[in-house]
Amino acid sequence: MGSDAQTDGPRTARVRREDEERRLDEVAARLGFPLSLVSLVLDPAVVFAGNHSLVGWIAQVGALPVEWSFRSTTVVTDAPHVVGDATVDPVHRDNPVVTGEGARSHAGVPLRTPDGRVVGAHRVIGVDPHEFTAGEIAVLEPAAAELVTIFEEHRAGSAAA
């Protein structure tokens, strides 16, 4: 029985990771955005727990300083946050992710744990300006809830191992 649990753990984690990646891919494709992320707040940094199409140094590092992240408003307000054109947005226009990496538009929704804590955001980022609709936000919200469920199942499985 012990060996089954040991071999089952990595396989189960892989299946959950595949579920997460599938969901991120679906959301990015449905909304037509090149990048979909799940980010978790860890005080001075935002760690990417999952992504669709993240490349370059940011993908290699897997995190950003919290002050470079679009998601901080989503977490602080516990509400969706959108930026139609970051290059003219007074809060984000000087952000290195905008000036150096080319991010232009962003929509993020909170990741809420079952006890109501906001731990991060599920978001899409575009390289062109974009005015987000209520329908696009409505696509992100259930995906965020599904991703939290995947993380919670992983956490429960890790605790049981």
Side-chain angles (χ1 to χ4, degrees):
M1 183 156 116
S3 64
D4 288 344
Q6 289 174 347
T7 58
D8 218 29
R11 182 175 44 142
T12 302
R14 185 176 58 252
V15 168
R16 289 186 183 124
R17 185 67 164 184
E18 290 168 358
D19 288 346
E20 172 193 317
E21 290 171 359
R22 174 194 49 78
R23 191 63 176 132
L24 290 168
D25 293 348
E26 288 171 0
V27 170
R30 184 167 175 195
L31 295 178
F33 277 81
L35 183 60
S36 180
L37 295 168
V38 174
S39 55
L40 303 174
V41 181
L42 299 176
D43 286 329
V46 173
V47 176
F48 304 124
N51 76 80
H52 164 83
S53 297
L54 186 62
V55 296
W57 72 268
I58 296 174
Q60 290 175 338
V61 172
L64 285 174
V66 73
E67 58 270 7
W68 290 14
S69 176
F70 289 110
R71 69 87 226 124
S72 59
T73 303
T74 304
V75 173
V76 170
T77 64
D78 187 11
H81 179 249
V82 299
V83 176
D85 187 349
T87 63
V88 298
D89 184 271
V91 173
H92 299 291
R93 67 177 167 228
D94 295 325
N95 182 326
V97 175
V98 175
T99 61
E101 301 302 318
R104 290 286 296 271
S105 54
H106 160 270
V109 297
L111 292 174
R112 283 185 205 87
T113 61
D115 64 1
R117 288 179 294 130
V118 177
V119 296
H122 175 222
R123 56 199 170 128
V124 291
I125 297 174
V127 295
D128 297 311
H130 182 81
E131 293 305 317
F132 291 91
T133 66
E136 289 169 322
I137 300 303
V139 170
L140 287 171
E141 289 175 329
E146 182 179 344
L147 290 162
V148 168
T149 299
I150 292 168
F151 294 146
E152 289 291 319
E153 288 172 353
H154 176 76
R155 187 173 67 123
S158 295

